[in-house]
Amino acid sequence: TDVRDDAGATKASSPNNNNNNNNVVGVMAKMETRIVVVRVVPGFDDAALAAAFGSKSLRAVVLELYGTGTAPSRRKHLVDALEIARQNDVLVVATTQCRRGGVVMSTYAVGQALLDVGVLGGHDMTTEAAATKLAYLFGKYPDDLDTIRTLITADLRGELSPPEMYTRPFFEDDSDPVIPEVPSTASF
């Protein structure tokens, strides 16, 4: 039997569940589509971002940043564009372009500046997971930006690892790594 809940999710009972609600599968029907993904690249146009962030129909942006959540350091206009997003209630979530690791935006001054204008760190969530999660959350809580801000950084279905998995040091033990000494008079 299929039933719709208040959020538009279709719930179908599994044929093997013996009417036990613990086995109900839900499919979300109301997904927000006004979400874009922006990959930060060298030389990107801040004015284009400001125009996009100023759109009254845009709900959220997944911003793919460098490394732990940083962008070009001398881009004041990027911060200005993100301030426009905040003023228009456009939620911005930062993910990393790296294959491993996660966003810890307070690591560098640029990341901290992005946090200061409301960008949320996506931890180690993939870009695809962040976009899908935003679509789901905006579909479920369309008028509750505070709830969405809270839930986007919470692990709902295994899309986030525990922080110690992506914030640990590069070297597993507490000893200093052995780095080969480079002769000061090396000739090339």
Side-chain angles (χ1 to χ4, degrees), residues 2-99:
D2 289 351
V3 178
R4 284 198 184 269
D5 70 5
D6 293 338
T10 301
K11 295 187 176 189
S13 297
S14 168
N16 300 323
N17 74 356
N18 299 325
N19 293 325
N20 181 347
N21 285 335
N22 291 334
N23 293 330
V24 173
V25 176
V27 177
M28 187 67 178
K30 293 181 184 177
M31 299 284 279
E32 179 60 68
T33 59
R34 295 173 295 167
I35 297 167
V36 297
V37 174
V38 176
R39 184 177 181 99
V40 174
V41 297
F44 66 90
D45 187 354
D46 298 319
L49 288 179
F53 294 164
S55 169
K56 298 297 181 190
S57 64
L58 186 62
R59 297 300 307 269
V61 174
V62 178
L63 194 61
E64 283 190 328
L65 298 174
Y66 309 141
T68 60
T70 190
S73 61
R74 298 180 195 264
R75 300 297 291 258
K76 180 188 178 313
H77 296 294
L78 171 61
V79 174
D80 294 342
L82 291 165
E83 181 59 39
I84 291 169
R86 179 167 51 177
Q87 291 169 2
N88 286 308
D89 289 331
V90 174
L91 186 61
V92 180
V93 177
T95 61
T96 182
Q97 295 178 19
C98 297
R99 294 174 61 119

Side-chain angles (χ1 to χ4, degrees), residues 166-186:
Y166 58 90
T167 59
R168 66 178 184 239
F170 292 110
F171 302 99
E172 295 300 318
D173 62 4
D174 291 337
S175 65
D176 288 334
V178 177
I179 300 174
E181 197 171 308
V182 178
S184 61
T185 58

Side-chain angles (χ1 to χ4, degrees), residues 77-144:
H77 296 294
L78 171 61
V79 174
D80 294 342
L82 291 165
E83 181 59 39
I84 291 169
R86 179 167 51 177
Q87 291 169 2
N88 286 308
D89 289 331
V90 174
L91 186 61
V92 180
V93 177
T95 61
T96 182
Q97 295 178 19
C98 297
R99 294 174 61 119
R100 292 192 181 135
V103 172
V104 184
M105 295 179 63
S106 60
T107 303
Y108 298 104
V110 174
Q112 185 61 54
L114 300 179
L115 282 172
D116 292 345
V117 291
V119 176
L120 298 173
H123 309 296
D124 70 334
M125 202 172 0
T126 65
T127 299
E128 296 81 1
T132 303
K133 189 172 181 180
L134 285 165
Y136 167 77
L137 291 173
F138 271 103
K140 188 163 180 149
Y141 308 102
D143 300 318
D144 193 350

